[in-house]
Amino acid sequence: MGISDIDALEKELQVKLASVREELQKLIIERDNIKLELQKTREELSDKISKLKKSKEELKNVREELNSLYNSLNTLKNDLSQLRNKLKEHISQAKKLSSELKKISSIATRESIDNMKEEIEKLEWMLITTPNLSLEEEKRIVERISQLERKMREISVYQRDVFELHMKYEELDAEIDNLKKELKDKGEALNQIRERISQLKDTREKLKKEIAETVSSITELKKKREELKGKLKEVINAVNSKSKEYKEILKELNSLRERREHSRTDFILKRKKEEVKSKIEKGERVTLYELYLMYGDEEKT
């Protein structure tokens, strides 16, 4: 192969080498971009997994609080039911006491004890101061005094009963007020629990939706990660293949350059030999070096 052929082949290989180098550079850039995207995807996936764990923990806490609130709600409902029944009973008792008080009070206030005392004193004074009372009149006065004293005792009993009933009524009325206050407080607590339950339900639904979206994102990211890994593997293989091709072309170019140098050396040596041969044929003087160039290779053979 002549030098011109070697030069032509070298030029062709250099063009091919430049093309392979360009392709290799593109593949390396693509590989690095895929690596960056893969790293970004892995980080995003890690963040999503952390977010999922956090959301699940929050959902667990919400459910636990909801269960606790439902138990409290049921307890409050039972308490309210018992309080209402108790209040109903107390109100019924209070009505009965009020009716009894009115009845006894009406009996106790028909006649005044003071008036009866005054009448008794007058009758007793009459017995003492009135001379010549007939037995019949005296008997009538004594019976009247006895009748008045009996009425006074009855009225005293009524008044005591009225006082006791009034005290019971006051106690019952105070208990009714306390029950009403307790009912109000528990009713407010019940409303607060219901409001909190409503808030937690909204939070629970929001978390469930968020978890579903996160799981979907994780699935997509895992799919993307596997696709990137597969693509990266393909590109790495392509890079390795192109690198090998690039090295082979370089090797071939180096070989061509060596062959060209050898050809150039052989050409120069051949021309020099022809010059020495021409000198010898012309009878011109030649140097030892020229003789060596002329016959050195023959001695080696």
Side-chain angles (χ1 to χ4, degrees):
M1 182 182 292
I3 293 176
S4 59
D5 294 331
I6 292 173
D7 289 341
L9 183 57
E10 183 182 9
K11 186 176 181 181
E12 182 182 340
L13 286 173
Q14 284 176 342
V15 171
K16 187 177 180 181
L17 184 68
S19 175
V20 171
R21 184 190 300 112
E22 185 178 354
E23 290 178 14
L24 183 58
Q25 288 173 344
K26 288 180 180 179
L27 285 170
I28 289 172
I29 291 171
E30 185 180 1
R31 180 198 64 190
D32 293 342
N33 288 337
I34 292 172
K35 283 183 177 180
L36 288 173
E37 190 174 358
L38 183 59
Q39 180 62 28
K40 182 181 176 182
T41 301
R42 283 170 173 160
E43 290 173 357
E44 191 176 351
L45 183 60
S46 178
D47 291 341
K48 291 290 183 182
I49 290 172
S50 297
K51 182 181 179 182
L52 180 62
K53 289 179 180 178
K54 183 180 178 182
S55 296
K56 283 185 175 181
E57 184 64 26
E58 289 179 7
L59 182 60
K60 178 186 174 185
N61 293 335
V62 167
R63 283 172 172 164
E64 287 176 354
E65 187 176 353
L66 273 173
N67 289 334
S68 176
L69 286 173
Y70 281 131
N71 291 333
S72 299
L73 187 67
N74 291 331
T75 300
L76 271 176
K77 284 181 178 179
N78 291 332
D79 290 346
L80 282 169
S81 178
Q82 292 175 6
L83 284 171
R84 288 191 186 101
N85 291 334
K86 192 173 182 180
L87 179 62
K88 187 177 179 182
E89 291 174 2
H90 278 42
I91 290 173
S92 177
Q93 290 177 14
K95 286 181 179 178
K96 288 180 181 179
L97 284 174
S98 178
S99 177
E100 289 181 25
L101 275 170
K102 288 178 182 179
K103 182 179 178 182
I104 294 174
S105 296
S106 64
I107 294 172
T109 55
R110 282 175 192 170
E111 296 183 60
S112 171
I113 290 179
D114 291 337
N115 291 337
M116 285 188 283
K117 282 182 178 181
E118 186 178 348
E119 186 178 352
I120 289 171
E121 287 175 357
K122 286 180 180 180
L123 289 171
E124 287 177 343
W125 181 254
M126 187 182 293
L127 285 173
I128 295 170
T129 59
T130 304
N132 302 319
L133 279 174
S134 63
L135 290 173
E136 185 177 341
E137 183 66 19
E138 185 177 347
K139 182 180 178 182
R140 186 188 66 77
I141 291 172
V142 170
E143 287 179 354
R144 177 59 181 165
I145 290 171
S146 297
Q147 184 183 12
L148 289 169
E149 287 176 343
R150 186 170 59 254
K151 283 185 177 180
M152 284 178 63
R153 286 194 298 271
E154 289 176 356
I155 289 172
S156 295
V157 172
Y158 286 143
Q159 286 180 338
R160 185 189 65 208
D161 291 344
V162 166
F163 177 77
E164 290 177 355
L165 286 173
H166 184 73
M167 291 299 295
K168 286 182 180 179
Y169 183 84
E170 290 294 328
E171 290 176 3
L172 200 59
D173 191 53
E175 287 185 20
I176 288 172
D177 288 341
N178 290 333
L179 285 172
K180 286 180 178 178
K181 184 179 182 303
E182 193 173 354
L183 273 170
K184 181 183 177 183
D185 293 342
K186 287 189 180 292
E188 290 175 354
L190 190 71
N191 290 333
Q192 289 175 358
I193 288 175
R194 282 174 173 161
E195 185 178 349
R196 179 58 179 162
I197 285 174
S198 178
Q199 292 173 352
L200 287 172
K201 281 183 176 179
D202 291 341
T203 303
R204 181 185 63 187
E205 294 308 310
K206 182 180 177 182
L207 284 170
K208 286 168 71 175
K209 183 180 178 182
E210 187 178 295
I211 286 171
E213 290 174 353
T214 304
V215 168
S216 178
S217 297
I218 288 173
T219 302
E220 291 299 319
L221 285 169
K222 283 183 176 179
K223 182 180 178 182
K224 183 179 179 181
R225 180 189 63 186
E226 295 307 311
E227 289 175 353
L228 287 171
K229 285 168 70 176
K231 192 174 181 181
L232 179 62
K233 185 177 180 181
E234 291 177 2
V235 173
I236 288 173
N237 289 336
V239 167
N240 292 336
S241 177
K242 284 295 175 184
S243 295
K244 184 179 179 182
E245 184 180 356
Y246 184 79
K247 289 175 182 177
E248 288 175 352
I249 294 172
L250 277 177
K251 185 178 179 181
E252 192 172 350
L253 275 171
N254 290 331
S255 177
L256 278 176
R257 287 173 183 144
E258 288 177 1
R259 288 170 64 185
R260 183 175 57 193
E261 287 300 318
H262 289 155
S263 296
R264 184 178 288 114
T265 302
D266 290 344
F267 175 76
I268 293 170
L269 184 60
K270 183 179 179 182
R271 190 175 62 184
K272 194 67 177 175
K273 283 182 177 181
E274 288 176 352
E275 290 176 358
V276 173
K277 184 179 179 182
S278 176
K279 281 183 177 183
I280 292 171
E281 288 176 350
K282 290 178 180 180
E284 295 178 0
R285 185 178 177 182
V286 294
T287 65
L288 288 174
Y289 175 70
E290 288 174 332
L291 287 173
Y292 175 77
L293 288 176
M294 186 70 182
Y295 302 108
D297 289 340
E298 293 178 3
E299 290 178 0
K300 289 179 182 178
T301 57

